[in-house]
Amino acid sequence: MPHSPIVFPFSSYDIGGSHVATYELAVALQKDFHRRCIFLCASGTPIANEAQRLGIEVVDTGEMAKSRASLRQRRSPIHTLRRFPSRLAIMRQIGRCIVHANDIVDIQTFGIVAKILGGKIVYHHHALNRMVLPNRLLIGRADAVIAVSETCRAPLSFVPPARLQIVLNPIEVPQAFDRNAARARVCAKLGIDNNDTLVGFVGNLWDRKRPEFFLRTAAVMALTDSCMRFIVFGRKGDVDVPEMKALADTLGIADRVIFAGFMMPAEDNIAALDLLMAPAIREPFGRTPIEAALLGTPWVATDDAGHGEIGRQWRGGQLVPIDADEATFAHAALAVPSNPASVVATPDQRMSIAADFSPHREAAKVEAIYRRLET
């Protein structure tokens, strides 16, 4: 039986963690199993542009205007009904396929259409959504469900165990990565001194990632070291950059904080740091502590949800209790740069982590799911 094409639909505009994981999965599926992988999204979005750069086929949804809309607007039943004829036409051109949806809204946009045409749905759960009835009904349409961590599996207790599997997201960094060169590149881009102590926040500015907590913790840390600089790598989420700049000014650290925005390659940003701080709560899993561990950058993270799972299973950083205030978090963070060897993974441990998060390992597990659906 010929392999079905795998369609990854995305209704949004900007690149996030689930997109990065999907790029790595699609590239490995194409290389290792010769699967035809298609990104179904609005042409001209960063999502589409990066897919094309990586050699992944892109089919234009023609929904550029809606890609910048809120999740609520994109999930509107009225919008779904209006777009149904054009979506049906797109899916007919692709033919019978497996829709691999990385968001519940993506089941609604193209997954249901694929089912109508005799295809299958794989739902890849990267979030900690509240499992209200509409979410349960949509996930219930999936033929297989993948959770990226034990933390993410917990809300999916309503999914029959035979249809649910944990598969770690792929996280890969170049072998023999030159951290010094990466640091020089980042410092040159940002116009900062290579000799400063660099502490970073990496992620878009969502409340649950606690970017404001990062700044308040930075203000405590700044009192101890006049050469410590704080870099925020990320775009606006439900917290805006002007709000963050105003807070930095109020805290008296505006001259010590750099708002770098979205910078690529991501591994340069993490490798350049002396310390990665990840104060997020309710993080489904989180790429950055694993990337930091692989790159040799020590991290400090809140002991909650996916970050707690990472800290207990893999080396590379230190967990701080979820109820820690800024002073307590700062105390834990300040202890790491003075003795990074106490937390940084050894070369052998990094090899083990790399094997656990290999795109080829994930691709093999996901390919096995596809083949089961095709029989």
Side-chain angles (χ1 to χ4, degrees):
M1 171 183 276
H3 290 336
S4 303
I6 309 301
V7 174
F8 298 98
F10 290 103
S11 62
S12 54
Y13 182 86
D14 283 321
I15 296 171
S18 64
H19 304 97
V20 175
T22 307
Y23 294 136
E24 292 176 338
L25 171 61
V27 168
L29 286 168
Q30 291 179 159
K31 180 179 179 181
D32 296 353
F33 300 102
H34 308 291
R35 282 279 180 179
R36 180 188 176 196
C37 293
I38 301 167
F39 265 49
L40 191 54
C41 54
S43 182
T45 59
I47 296 170
N49 294 342
E50 180 65 6
Q52 289 171 327
R53 186 187 73 80
L54 293 169
I56 302 168
E57 181 180 351
V58 173
V59 170
D60 183 15
T61 61
E63 299 183 16
M64 172 62 90
K66 277 295 179 184
S67 69
R68 290 183 178 273
S70 69
L71 175 62
R72 184 175 181 179
Q73 291 170 317
R74 286 184 280 118
R75 195 170 175 175
S76 162
I78 294 173
H79 176 68
T80 299
L81 287 172
R82 284 176 177 167
R83 295 297 305 179
F84 180 79
S86 60
R87 289 172 176 171
L88 183 64
I90 290 170
M91 295 303 289
R92 277 183 171 152
Q93 287 185 340
I94 293 172
R96 184 174 295 184
C97 63
I98 296 173
V99 164
H100 190 134
N102 286 272
D103 196 307
I104 294 172
V105 71
D106 297 327
I107 301 176
Q108 180 178 310
T109 54
F110 282 96
I112 300 302
V113 179
K115 291 277 276 193
I116 291 170
L117 296 175
K120 303 285 186 179
I121 300 174
V122 173
Y123 171 56
H124 208 140
H125 191 58
H126 297 259
L128 296 178
N129 313 62
R130 286 192 309 118
M131 286 302 159
V132 295
L133 183 59
N135 290 350
R136 287 173 176 250
L137 292 174
L138 283 168
I139 294 171
R141 299 295 295 162
D143 301 282
V145 178
I146 298 169
V148 299
S149 65
E150 289 285 355
T151 302
C152 284
R153 180 168 70 172
L156 299 170
S157 57
F158 62 93
V159 177
R163 282 197 283 138
L164 177 60
Q165 184 174 341
I166 293 178
V167 180
L168 295 174
N169 269 345
I171 300 174
E172 188 174 42
V173 301
Q175 292 184 352
F177 192 84
D178 189 337
R179 293 190 66 213
N180 291 329
R183 185 183 181 94
R185 288 192 292 268
V186 169
C187 288
K189 286 179 186 177
L190 299 178
I192 57 179
D193 192 331
N194 200 323
N195 295 312
D196 285 347
T197 301
L198 305 182
V199 178
F201 174 99
V202 179
N204 290 334
L205 307 181
W206 299 105
D207 273 330
R208 66 177 176 80
K209 291 184 180 289
R210 300 204 294 175
E212 292 161 325
F213 184 94
F214 170 81
L215 286 185
R216 290 193 293 269
T217 302
V220 177
M221 297 172 70
L223 297 173
T224 69
D225 185 346
S226 61
C227 292
M228 190 170 282
R229 304 292 295 271
F230 304 92
I231 310 175
V232 178
F233 294 103
R235 301 191 197 90
K236 172 182 186 268
D238 43 22
V239 178
D240 210 341
V241 174
E243 296 173 46
M244 292 281 286
K245 289 183 176 179
L247 176 58
D249 189 51
T250 300
L251 293 168
I253 57 171
D255 61 332
R256 308 276 292 275
V257 181
I258 300 99
F259 293 93
F262 183 77
M263 279 176 50
M264 293 288 281
E267 56 266 23
D268 268 16
N269 305 336
I270 296 172
L273 300 174
D274 295 290
L275 177 68
L276 169 72
M277 293 208 308
I281 56 175
R282 288 187 56 76
E283 187 69 21
F285 193 70
R287 295 178 57 86
T288 52
I290 297 296
E291 288 175 309
L294 291 171
L295 290 164
T297 297
W299 55 262
V300 175
T302 304
D303 188 357
D304 182 55
H307 280 167
E309 188 176 332
I310 289 169
R312 277 180 283 280
Q313 192 161 349
W314 295 279
R315 273 188 60 84
Q318 180 175 323
L319 294 172
V320 181
I322 189 172
D323 59 355
D325 61 13
E326 293 88 344
T328 304
F329 202 103
H331 179 74
L334 286 166
V336 173
S338 60
N339 185 21
S342 65
V343 296
V344 169
T346 65
D348 285 348
Q349 288 167 336
R350 287 188 215 176
M351 287 180 62
S352 177
I353 295 169
D356 286 346
F357 291 92
S358 164
H360 305 287
R361 180 174 179 173
E362 187 212 24
K365 291 186 174 184
V366 173
E367 175 68 17
I369 293 171
Y370 296 156
R371 292 191 181 188
R372 189 168 68 246
L373 297 181
E374 290 172 327
T375 57

